[in-house]
Amino acid sequence: MSSRESHGLLHPAGSPEDAWWRHAVIYQVYPRSFADADGDGVGDLAGVLSRLDHLTSLGVDALWLSPFYPSPQVDGGYDVSDYCGVDPVFGTLAGARHLVATAHERGLRVLVDLVPNHTSDAHPWFVAALASAPGSPERARYLFRDGRGDHGELPPNNWRSIFGGTAWARITEPDGTPGQWYLHLFDPHQPDLDWSNLQVRADFLDILRFWLDLGVDGFRVDVAHSMVKAEGLPDWDEPVRMIGGAEHSSPQEAPAPMFDQEGVHEIIRSWRRLLDSCPGERAMVAEAWVEPADRLARYVRPDEMHQTFNFPFLTAGWDAEALRKVIIDSYVADDAVGAATTWVLSNHDVVRHASRFGMPDPTGRPNGIGARDPQPDAALGLRRARAATTLMLALPGSAYLYQGEELGLPDHTTLDDDLRQDPTYRRTHGVELGRDGCRIPMPWSAGAPALGFSPTGRTWLPQPAMYHDLAVDRQDGHPGSTLELYRELLRVRRERGLGWGSLTWYAPLADRPDVLAFHNGEVLVIANLGTRPAPMPEDTHVLVSSTPEAPTDQIAPDTAVWLVSAS
Ligand code: GLC
């Protein structure tokens, strides 16, 4: 480890004049579960519009909307049947345009989700492919292949779906005979596109242009590392884990044939050229589960993506040494390519950090928690989640928040199995519970039907009893609440310029591997992830503490503070 990495300056300061995305705090809205204006139990764009005040009073810079496009909703809208429309369950295109314009008036940027790896099987492109002959241009948009075996009865290769089971589905040809197979890395209702097809590339440039013209500030790109598959689709005997799992450990090792292929970079560059040709600072963030950090940083070279999600940070768990390593690796790799580092603790695909950190193993990465599993310690999880966020928001770079984490929401960890909707649950025959627990409708008002999520009281997934006391109106204006902590963190972060700040390790606590301590400009950040108190440096006072009561002489376990010199 070089001296830059282990002590002293790790990351130099930027400037408030830097492009917005280099230091922005971006709030993820999962539209199904944010706010339901029309009362059908599913959140919608009018609901988001009605709650923009929540985002401005929180103090975020931008929102990212998970998919709201026409979709059979097999995978929560990540199965798109029309890339340039709005599903009636969420509203109308005019409503989307109005939402983007209104957000802009309030000073909020808007990113939308782009899902290029696969379409829905209800997309007209796929419907046409099924109706056309093998070898036709319609089939060539997707990865159709003849089966193996004497009669083509075996899948073309041994790839597994990320949601469980085989990654191939066999179709019946228009004449009624058993036919070709198509690849689906996710659900069979999500056929993978063939990105070697120039028509696919041209169509997606049109889709990007459509949303850029509508005024969005950029895109969150779904599974951006998997669009291109290795030539010949060779067998792969290793497990295919994407969510929370890297496919290889060093750049020398060949990546899995469905991930991180060199060809994706050319596609990303073509999109970057388009974004750069638009007025304003449009940005893209890649969802790319690629490790190690220098391999991931290839996605954010100057002519590629603007950001990638920092999943190694999310998956490091409540573990000081693991987090220190991720922080070092991230800055070293991103600074080398001139990219801004990002940070994230929760999203719609993982157990919320307030639940993860309350598990007996706070470094675990369960794919859902169910009634038969050991239950998280809610108080401990919340205490650590608040400390983790206090740490995260002090790190220079951009940060992503997931709706509800500002309330300290845990997952629904006792959801009735019959209600589970994540395709993972079905495809793994219940072995993996899946992601429904982190997608529960938001609690806005403790006394209202569906805790204020929906005027009729309907909710597409039930809210756990615990959400009552965590509703926005129970926390708003209450000092010490998680909501007020987030507001305070974001206010001070902005005031002190932490987003574009620097990171210098704080040497006096170097003998405490269980403590993370660094300066960002004049702010001294100390996060105690250990089991014994850490000394509070003399002559400092607390700007913000993750605990409702600010510490005075010692920083207790599972606490993070922002300090400044008292003199
Ligand atoms: C991404 C999304 C996830 C979705 C998958 C397939 O990982 O975040 O929700 O299921 O891609 O589109």
Side-chain angles (χ1 to χ4, degrees):
M1 206 181 272
S2 77
S3 63
R4 171 179 178 220
E5 292 159 30
S6 56
H7 54 266
L9 178 71
L10 173 66
H11 171 75
S15 134
E17 309 306 324
D18 289 342
W20 69 275
W21 42 267
R22 296 189 77 92
H23 46 76
V25 176
I26 302 172
Y27 183 98
Q28 180 188 358
V29 171
Y30 191 69
R32 296 180 73 74
S33 302
F34 191 63
D36 172 21
D38 66 9
D40 63 357
V42 178
D44 43 45
L45 296 184
V48 180
L49 186 71
S50 73
R51 297 289 185 184
L52 283 181
D53 286 351
H54 178 69
L55 302 192
T56 50
S57 77
L58 191 58
V60 297
D61 302 290
L63 63 146
W64 145 38
L65 292 159
S66 279
F68 50 77
Y69 315 114
S71 160
Q73 302 292 328
V74 169
D75 183 22
Y78 283 93
D79 48 320
V80 180
S81 56
D82 172 4
Y83 287 93
C84 298
V86 172
D87 196 291
V89 82
F90 295 123
T92 62
L93 194 55
R97 188 174 282 117
H98 180 57
L99 174 61
V100 172
T102 310
H104 285 167
E105 281 163 21
R106 310 254 178 112
L108 294 166
R109 311 239 183 193
V110 182
L111 302 182
V112 293
D113 223 301
L114 183 73
V115 189
N117 179 68
H118 46 267
T119 68
S120 160
D121 62 347
H123 195 291
W125 296 338
F126 192 74
V127 174
L130 288 186
S132 304
S136 61
E138 288 81 2
R139 290 249 170 127
R141 282 180 177 278
Y142 294 89
L143 289 158
F144 280 91
R145 294 290 183 273
D146 293 333
R148 294 201 269 208
D150 290 345
H151 308 285
E153 71 282 10
L154 299 172
N157 72 19
N158 68 353
W159 291 6
R160 313 285 299 163
S161 154
I162 290 156
F163 289 163
T166 171
W168 294 92
R170 193 172 194 188
I171 66 159
T172 302
E173 297 293 348
D175 66 4
T177 57
Q180 288 194 298
W181 299 71
Y182 66 87
L183 179 72
H184 58 86
L185 284 186
F186 295 89
D187 193 81
H189 296 290
Q190 295 167 294
D192 280 51
L193 287 162
D194 183 349
W195 274 89
S196 67
N197 183 325
L198 297 183
Q199 191 59 48
V200 169
R201 294 185 184 217
D203 287 335
F204 267 84
L205 280 171
D206 288 344
I207 292 163
L208 268 85
R209 215 172 274 121
F210 176 87
W211 290 104
L212 292 166
D213 288 348
L214 187 134
V216 304
D217 298 280
F219 304 94
R220 174 268 186 188
V221 182
D222 195 60
V223 278
H225 60 313
S226 72
M227 288 177 278
V228 173
K229 279 78 180 175
E231 191 67 37
L233 310 181
D235 278 345
W236 177 251
D237 294 318
E238 307 294 321
V240 180
R241 282 198 310 136
M242 184 191 70
I243 295 176
E247 292 309 317
H248 58 280
S249 55
S250 85
Q252 285 76 39
E253 261 176 63
M258 67 294 282
F259 291 134
D260 196 24
Q261 299 295 308
E262 199 51 37
V264 296
H265 295 285
E266 182 188 322
I267 300 168
I268 293 170
R269 283 189 202 107
S270 71
W271 295 349
R272 177 66 182 252
R273 284 193 293 275
L274 174 61
L275 265 68
D276 284 350
S277 74
C278 295
E281 291 173 335
R282 319 282 179 119
M284 291 181 290
V285 54
E287 183 209 23
W289 295 85
V290 172
E291 286 180 22
D294 54 356
R295 185 85 194 169
L296 180 62
R298 300 174 81 245
Y299 287 76
V300 285
R301 289 176 289 190
D303 58 349
E304 300 201 28
M305 294 274 174
H306 301 76
Q307 302 179 328
T308 57
F309 290 111
N310 194 337
F311 294 127
F313 184 75
L314 184 153
T315 54
W318 190 237
D319 175 328
E321 300 218 45
L323 286 168
R324 181 181 292 107
K325 179 172 176 354
V326 173
I327 292 169
I328 293 170
D329 290 352
S330 304
Y331 284 124
V332 169
D334 287 333
D335 289 352
V337 294
T341 292
T342 68
W343 309 103
V344 63
L345 288 162
S346 283
N347 67 29
H348 67 295
D349 287 330
V350 299
V351 172
R352 287 172 174 277
H353 62 291
S355 295
R356 287 200 315 272
F357 295 162
M359 294 301 282
D361 173 7
T363 62
R365 301 186 249 167
N367 187 358
I369 298 170
R372 289 180 296 279
D373 294 324
Q375 292 294 300
D377 176 333
L380 180 65
L382 179 58
R383 181 180 173 95
R384 288 177 172 167
R386 290 169 55 123
T389 302
T390 302
L391 167 69
M392 176 176 85
L393 290 174
L395 291 167
S398 170
Y400 279 82
L401 305 179
Y402 176 47
Q403 68 181 39
E405 67 167 87
E406 74 281 17
L407 307 176
L409 292 188
D411 264 38
H412 193 325
T413 56
T414 55
L415 188 65
D416 190 338
D417 286 343
D418 295 341
L419 299 176
R420 294 192 187 279
Q421 307 209 9
D422 185 345
T424 314
Y425 179 70
R426 204 175 3 91
R427 288 188 59 82
T428 63
H429 308 287
V431 173
E432 304 275 348
L433 294 175
R435 302 159 294 174
D436 296 300
C438 66
R439 299 174 175 178
I440 302 297
M442 282 273 286
W444 295 96
S445 336
L451 304 176
F453 169 71
S454 156
T456 56
R458 289 172 68 187
T459 56
W460 71 280
L461 285 175
Q463 298 155 309
M466 212 185 221
Y467 276 28
H468 180 269
D469 289 344
L470 297 171
V472 173
D473 69 343
R474 298 292 294 262
Q475 303 197 39
D476 187 20
H478 290 265
S481 71
T482 306
L483 178 57
E484 292 302 337
L485 170 65
Y486 270 70
R487 286 176 174 160
E488 183 72 353
L489 290 168
L490 290 171
R491 188 180 64 72
V492 178
R493 175 185 157 95
R494 188 181 300 263
E495 251 172 41
R496 301 260 171 184
L498 301 185
W500 53 83
S502 57
L503 191 151
T504 305
W505 295 114
Y506 176 69
L509 283 171
D511 63 334
R512 287 288 303 264
D514 53 343
V515 171
L516 289 166
F518 58 87
H519 270 108
N520 180 342
E522 293 185 342
V523 178
L524 172 58
V525 180
I526 301 181
N528 183 357
L529 287 79
T531 50
R532 59 196 173 95
M536 181 101 134
E538 278 169 24
D539 295 326
T540 54
H541 82 254
V542 178
L543 273 182
V544 193
S545 170
S546 65
T547 49
E549 296 291 322
T552 47
D553 56 343
Q554 292 201 310
I555 302 159
D558 302 319
T559 301
V561 286
W562 295 0
L563 307 168
V564 279
S565 162
S567 48

